[in-house]
Amino acid sequence: MNILLCSINTLKRLYDISSVEVGQHLYWQLGGFQVHAQVLITSWVVIAILLVSAILVVRNPQTIPTFGQNFFEYVLEFIRDVSKTQIGEEYGPWVPFIGTMFLFIFVSNWSGALLPWKIIQLPHGELAAPTNDINTTVALALLTSMAYFYAGLSKKGLAYFGKYIQPTPILLPINILEDFTKPLSLSFRLFGNILADELVVVVLVSLVPLVVPIPVMFLGLFTSGIQALIFATLAAAYIGESMEGHH
């Protein structure tokens, strides 16, 4: 009987940890702005993880790389390949931007899946992956949109806007609408997939034993990495498109 009660209590605690609070946030007042505190906290944790990892690797580089240095060199080479494939020969200046987007989204998604954020209790809302908040994905998408316009304007000057009337001025409204839908598409694609993955795990935990949800959680790690790659690839493709000047 005691074993059964212990098992029930354990499952109840796991269910509480896996629950999702929708529409509740812990707010901080910064100046005249109201911000989501839990998103700032988890974003700072992700940034700290990236900064500490980078510092540990570059502080003592070796001619024959160690495991950590070798891993980060592989990641850098992967990001360079993605940038070069999508942007072309002028990819060099854009590697830091594409790399930042990829690594921040990747570590954010994995932190939401691996770190037990929900154990930390907040007065309102809960801690989760930064990309689980629509404001974060919109901000990342707007940064990509700004980079997109900056790349085109720095390459062609005001002549960049000539692309909106190509191949015919009749397409002007459609071409303008396309530039507005790009950040919207990036934002909702990332936010929707991350939120859907968490909801699937919550539903499975509430309906079936943990034997089934655990493999789904591992699948979520894979799809989280894919989402980071898709976002970075599309961002590089949009930048490359603006520099080439055609659709």
Side-chain angles (χ1 to χ4, degrees), residues 112-126:
L114 295 177
L115 299 181
W117 292 114
K118 297 177 181 63
I119 292 178
I120 304 174
Q121 298 296 319
L122 298 178
H124 301 283
E126 63 183 14

Side-chain angles (χ1 to χ4, degrees), residues 209-243:
L210 288 178
V211 176
V212 175
I214 286 176
V216 176
M217 292 177 184
F218 284 111
L219 178 62
L221 292 177
F222 175 75
T223 56
S224 296
I226 294 297
Q227 287 304 315
L229 176 60
I230 290 174
F231 193 102
T233 301
L234 288 176
Y238 293 158
I239 292 171
E241 179 185 289
S242 69
M243 295 174 70

